[in-house]
Amino acid sequence: YKIREDNKESIIILVTQYGDTKAIGHCMSIGGDDFVLKPLDYKMFMLRLSSCIKNYNLRKKNLSKTDRLYKRATHDSLTGIFNRSYFKDKFSTELIENCKNGSVFSIVLFDIDYFKQINDEYGHQKGDEALIGITKLVSKLIRKSDLFFRWGGEEFLILLPGARMEEATRVSEKIRREIEKLKIKGIRKLTASFGVTQCKVDDNQESMFKRVDNSLYLAKLTGRNKVVYNEEIY
């Protein structure tokens, strides 16, 4: 058990003089890969070892394939951050229920301004570079506990566990200013508009998203390159 705990990738073959199936079963259940009986038959031992190595390689290959499939299902292929599908898994009724029980979180929805014009004027490759550049920038500006998602197209969402409206708004304003300073070769200037809201005890998923979406819409409607929270113009 200690060997398996210290080195999860080790291959453990038990060498025992006992034919007691209960003892062997117990040893296998706490981390053994296989066993051979004494007196040791070298050829048999090598066959068992070879079999264990093949099984190990197969397990590793399957795990790698599973990891790749999981990443493909939960991450955006261009930017490498979480995608909308993964958000739906994270933003379950459990989060809303936690809010009703006193937990706090906020969400930020932001959109790159005039992104269609960027694609039309500079080409889709430059548009992709802008998306990647903004993703890298924002990833550096948020906490490790925050979750960052590509919502779709040029739209992004940040989930901030434990953050109240004031903190989420400050973070959004900082990101907005840094995007304004961001230099992407070949593109004159980038800006973004932000909607922010905090969960309320009487919220459901629909009401919270309506509020943050309306806030973003107001930011764009009233001139863009600004932060609006709780559907109010200040």
Side-chain angles (χ1 to χ4, degrees):
Y1 181 79
K2 178 65 174 170
I3 296 172
R4 176 65 68 216
E5 190 178 58
D6 292 342
N7 186 353
K8 297 187 186 303
E9 296 193 353
S10 59
I11 293 174
I12 302 172
I13 298 178
L14 308 170
V15 181
T16 177
Q17 61 183 342
Y18 300 107
D20 186 347
T21 55
K22 288 185 179 179
I24 293 171
H26 171 70
C27 292
M28 298 290 285
S29 70
I30 60 173
D33 292 293
D34 206 340
F35 68 94
V36 291
L37 298 176
K38 290 182 179 179
L40 183 64
D41 183 317
Y42 178 75
K43 288 184 178 178
M44 179 59 69
F45 175 77
M46 293 306 296
L47 284 171
R48 293 286 180 90
L49 179 59
S50 176
S51 175
C52 286
I53 292 171
K54 286 178 182 177
N55 288 335
Y56 168 79
N57 288 333
L58 182 60
R59 286 198 305 271
K60 197 168 182 180
K61 184 178 179 180
N62 287 338
L63 283 172
S64 178
K65 184 178 180 181
T66 301
D67 287 344
R68 288 198 304 273
L69 291 173
Y70 176 77
K71 187 163 186 179
R72 191 180 300 169
T74 58
H75 289 68
D76 176 57
S77 58
L78 176 66
T79 61
I81 60 174
F82 293 122
N83 60 22
R84 189 168 182 162
S85 297
Y86 184 67
F87 178 83
K88 289 179 180 178
D89 292 337
K90 296 299 290 183
F91 193 82
S92 61
T93 52
E94 183 181 346
L95 269 175
I96 296 293
E97 286 303 315
N98 287 344
C99 183
K100 294 181 189 300
N101 294 326
S103 296
V104 173
F105 69 91
S106 295
I107 54 176
V108 175
L109 188 65
F110 73 93
D111 187 292
I112 303 173
D113 296 328
Y114 304 110
F115 190 71
K116 184 179 184 302
Q117 291 182 21
I118 292 171
N119 278 330
D120 290 346
E121 185 174 350
Y122 304 109
H124 287 275
Q125 184 175 344
K126 282 296 176 185
D128 287 350
E129 287 179 23
L131 292 170
I132 293 167
I134 286 175
T135 299
K136 289 179 178 178
L137 173 68
V138 174
S139 296
K140 293 176 182 177
L141 296 174
I142 59 177
R143 305 169 302 177
K144 288 184 179 180
S145 58
D146 297 331
L147 297 175
F148 188 24
F149 305 83
R150 186 176 178 193
W151 199 240
E154 68 273 24
E155 206 167 42
F156 296 85
L157 185 139
I158 309 169
L159 172 63
L160 301 97
R164 297 188 179 277
M165 175 77 72
E166 295 78 9
E167 183 181 353
T169 303
R170 283 196 302 271
V171 170
S172 300
E173 183 59 32
K174 182 177 181 180
I175 293 170
R176 185 197 67 77
R177 291 195 305 267
E178 292 301 318
I179 288 175
E180 214 174 9
K181 298 176 189 174
L182 183 65
K183 304 295 183 185
I184 302 291
K185 188 177 180 180
I187 298 177
R188 284 194 298 273
K189 188 177 181 180
L190 290 169
T191 63
S193 302
F194 294 74
V196 184
T197 196
Q198 177 186 319
C199 68
K200 299 179 180 180
V201 291
D202 58 347
D203 261 331
N204 55 39
Q205 292 189 40
E206 184 180 352
S207 64
M208 191 171 185
F209 267 93
K210 184 178 180 182
R211 199 162 60 246
V212 76
D213 198 47
N214 286 346
S215 299
L216 173 58
Y217 177 73
L218 276 172
K220 297 180 82 67
L221 190 67
T222 56
R224 293 179 167 83
N225 192 24
K226 65 173 63 176
V227 177
V228 172
Y229 57 92
N230 272 358
E231 306 173 300
E232 297 286 345
I233 302 296
Y234 297 90

